């Protein structure tokens, strides 16, 4: 696989339903044994399973040239299953309305096996950062 955007998340950006800079955006570590991504169909947070850990809101978000970036994020005291995916989503506070944005499965450090310590995700520093619209 390769990192990709959820189709309906991309559509939500175009409809103005997601604001990268204005909305609460979070990331989750996900176990692939419990979740098989379908980025053409999956739309909301309650469409995924196997969530191992959830971040706080992403900070220092930028949108320069249509490229989404943010400060690196730390998941605190993570326990649970090995995680092969990072899913980025808009957090509305309700899983059935929290839109899925991006699936990261190709990154340094993935998969990661929790050991009770913190896990820091360092977003890509290349041209596309977290993702590019």
């Amino acid at each position: 696989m390769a990192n990709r955007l959820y189709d309906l998340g991309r559509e939500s950006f175009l409809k103005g339903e997601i604001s990268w800079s204005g909305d609460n955006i979070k990331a989750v570590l996900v176990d692939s044994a419990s979740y098989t991504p379908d980025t053409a169909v999956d739309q909301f947070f309650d469409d995924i399973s196997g969530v191992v850990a959830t971040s706080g809101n992403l900070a220092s978000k930028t949108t320069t040239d249509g490229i989404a970036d943010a400060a690196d994020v730390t998941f605190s005291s993570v326990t649970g299953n090995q995680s092969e995916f990072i899913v980025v989503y808009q957090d509305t506070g309700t899983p059935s309305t929290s839109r899925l944005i991006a699936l990261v499965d190709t990154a340094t450090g993935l998969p990661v096996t929790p050991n009770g310590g913190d896990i820091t995700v360092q977003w890509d520093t290349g041209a596309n950062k977290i993702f590019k619209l």
Side-chain angles (χ1 to χ4, degrees):
M1 284 194 222
N3 300 342
R4 56 203 177 278
L5 297 176
Y6 287 89
D7 291 351
L8 295 168
R10 190 179 5 239
E11 181 179 311
S12 291
F13 273 108
L14 293 174
K15 289 180 174 180
E17 297 168 336
I18 298 174
S19 169
W20 180 259
S21 57
D23 289 342
N24 292 331
I25 307 294
K26 294 183 178 179
V28 290
L29 297 174
V30 179
D31 176 13
S32 68
S34 298
Y35 175 57
T36 302
D38 186 344
T39 56
V41 175
D42 296 344
Q43 182 174 15
F44 297 109
F45 189 80
D46 62 357
D47 291 329
I48 64 175
S49 55
V51 173
V52 175
T54 303
S55 76
N57 291 325
L58 300 187
S60 303
K61 296 177 290 187
T62 62
T63 59
T64 305
D65 297 328
I67 299 167
D69 196 13
D72 296 342
V73 65
T74 300
F75 296 88
S76 299
S77 305
V78 182
T79 59
N81 294 328
Q82 177 173 291
S83 300
E84 293 80 12
F85 305 132
I86 300 168
V87 174
V88 178
Y89 72 102
Q90 170 203 43
D91 182 23
T92 65
T94 304
S96 62
T97 62
S98 294
R99 291 175 177 85
L100 302 176
I101 298 171
L103 177 82
V104 177
D105 64 358
T106 306
T108 302
L110 285 180
V112 61
T113 302
N115 63 8
D118 294 349
I119 296 173
T120 299
V121 172
Q122 295 178 329
W123 301 115
D124 187 358
T125 58
N128 294 334
K129 310 293 184 199
I130 300 173
F131 66 87
K132 180 179 182 177
L133 287 179

